[in-house]
């Protein structure tokens, strides 16, 4: 009777070990998935920051281009005015 109780106890212990092993594997897999998700999230955040910086750089470049175009138009207009004035002087 003691022998059968001991055998039954050993079976229960073995079943519990298998359950613990299974739970440990699941926990390790979940941690790996979580680490992968965290890494992906960190990379996404980094890419968002990079995109924001590139957008700012582009906006600054567009502003400089606009300023250059306005300055060029101003100079061109001034040169055209001088040409018209010179033509008037020649006619007079």
């Amino acid at each position: 009777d003691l022998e059968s109780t001991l055998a039954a106890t050993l079976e229960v212990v073995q079943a519990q070990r298998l359950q613990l092993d299974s739970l440990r594997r699941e926990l390790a897999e979940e941690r790996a998935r979580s680490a992968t998700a965290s890494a992906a999230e960190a990379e996404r955040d980094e890419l968002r920051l990079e995109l924001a910086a590139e957008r700012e750089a582009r906006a600054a470049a567009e502003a400089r281009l606009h300023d250059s175009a306005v300055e060029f138009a101003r100079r061109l207009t001034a040169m055209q005015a001088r040409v018209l004035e010179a033509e008037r002087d020649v006619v007079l």
Side-chain angles (χ1 to χ4, degrees):
D1 190 32
L2 185 57
E3 191 175 310
S4 64
T5 302
L6 183 57
T9 302
L10 289 175
E11 285 181 27
V12 169
V13 168
Q14 181 62 24
Q16 289 175 341
R17 281 186 184 153
L18 292 174
Q19 285 179 331
L20 282 173
D21 289 345
S22 175
L23 290 172
R24 284 184 183 131
R25 275 193 304 277
E26 287 178 20
L27 180 59
E29 290 171 1
E30 182 60 33
R31 284 181 178 164
R33 280 193 296 274
S34 179
T36 300
S38 294
E41 190 173 318
E43 185 176 353
R44 184 193 71 215
D45 291 343
E46 185 178 329
L47 288 173
R48 282 185 177 167
L49 289 174
E50 188 177 328
L51 177 61
E54 289 298 325
R55 284 181 175 162
E56 282 183 33
R58 180 179 177 181
E62 287 176 352
R64 287 191 304 274
L65 182 61
H66 178 265
D67 291 345
S68 294
V70 168
E71 179 63 20
F72 178 76
R74 186 187 65 74
R75 287 182 181 186
L76 183 60
T77 301
M79 287 183 352
Q80 287 173 337
R82 285 193 294 270
V83 167
L84 287 175
E85 189 175 317
E87 287 176 351
R88 263 187 259 138
D89 289 345
V90 169
V91 171
L92 294 176

